Amino acid sequence: MADFENFDVLFASDRSFAYGEQTITQILKSRRAAHNGLLIDKLLKTLGVARPQDLYPPRSNQSLRNLHSQIIESASPDHHKQSLLYYILKDTQDHHTTSSNFARAAFLPQKYRVFIDGIWLLDRGDFENALGYLTEPVLIPTFPEDILYLLCTHPNQQDDKLPLAYYYTVSPAVTSPRVTEAFFEKLAMNSVTEALAWSRQYDEPSHRKLFAQLIQLVLGGPEGESRARRSVELIHLPFSKEEEAWFEAYLTDGEGKNLYGAKDAYKVRTVATGNCNAIAGRADAYGDKSDHLMDWSSLGSSYEQGSMTSAR
């Protein structure tokens, strides 16, 4: 087994090794883009390393030695320490050879190596290749909400399918409000129907909040064919009794009343569900009883009369 506790043995090929300025700059840039928190920072904290952002990236050979010492002196299992050292060795210029040789010599289990390969790529913004590792069946999901949040919000991650791919492969429990909101936005942009179904797993307050977010994302989306298509999909979804009430309240009295098409969305939904008389009762909420020269109160009465005539 490699003597990973001895710095001079670990870096035998260059005991004076220090991170180059370009590498340091790139890591700091990546940290800022990742909301000031790389996954290596979280791993170091898990090992009990104090102030990881002060230690990584190390600015000199002595700083690197201090980081190595902090890792070695932690109370964590050897495989966890070795995993962090494997990550650091991937930062070296000849990282493919150096890190691979270390992993083999230390008998680092495959699942640890696969996980570190994934988060190292994720920390560097190589999202697609990172997921190739982080969705491996051999892994027990680690930091899944942090990973999902990064995939949803990182400014350099523009592929809306990647968060969905990670979620449906790993099936993480999403409990953090910020992660829930960020992922729900990606889900809603992909499928209004899926988003509604997903929101129903939460308790009533969270469900209602997500339901309002769904309406806002659909009606408040960029103008064009996509918004029109998604609005039609939303309006014709099978709502529960509670969702029906939330829909009406949000678009007539709530924060959604000023959204583009809010009035029409409510009226079309009401017609589609055969509750046209409710429109007349809600006309005052919009300040008038007509829209685009259509008398909605008359439409409601006509609809009811037509229904009664048909029933005869």
Side-chain angles (χ1 to χ4, degrees), residues 1-3 79 82 86 89 94-110 113:
M1 178 178 289
D3 186 6
H79 286 327
Q82 292 164 344
Y86 175 63
L89 288 170
D94 189 21
H95 66 85
H96 291 298
T97 301
T98 307
S99 60
S100 296
N101 287 345
F102 169 75
R104 283 194 296 270
F107 301 105
L108 188 64
Q110 182 190 13
R113 183 171 178 173

Side-chain angles (χ1 to χ4, degrees), residues 235-236 263-274 279 296:
I235 290 168
H236 289 87
K263 176 167 38 172
D264 289 337
Y266 167 64
K267 291 177 177 178
V268 172
R269 171 76 187 182
T270 305
V271 171
T273 55
I279 299 173
W296 289 92

Side-chain angles (χ1 to χ4, degrees), residues 5 7 11 15 17 19 44 49-52 54-74 85 88:
E5 296 185 356
F7 180 92
F11 288 91
R15 296 173 182 175
F17 171 77
Y19 281 53
L44 288 168
V49 175
R51 302 188 305 278
D54 293 340
L55 293 170
Y56 183 86
R59 270 66 167 186
S60 65
N61 178 261
Q62 186 57 52
S63 296
L64 178 58
R65 288 175 180 271
N66 290 341
L67 175 59
H68 173 266
S69 178
Q70 290 253 14
I71 294 171
I72 296 305
E73 291 172 4
S74 76
L85 296 176
I88 291 169

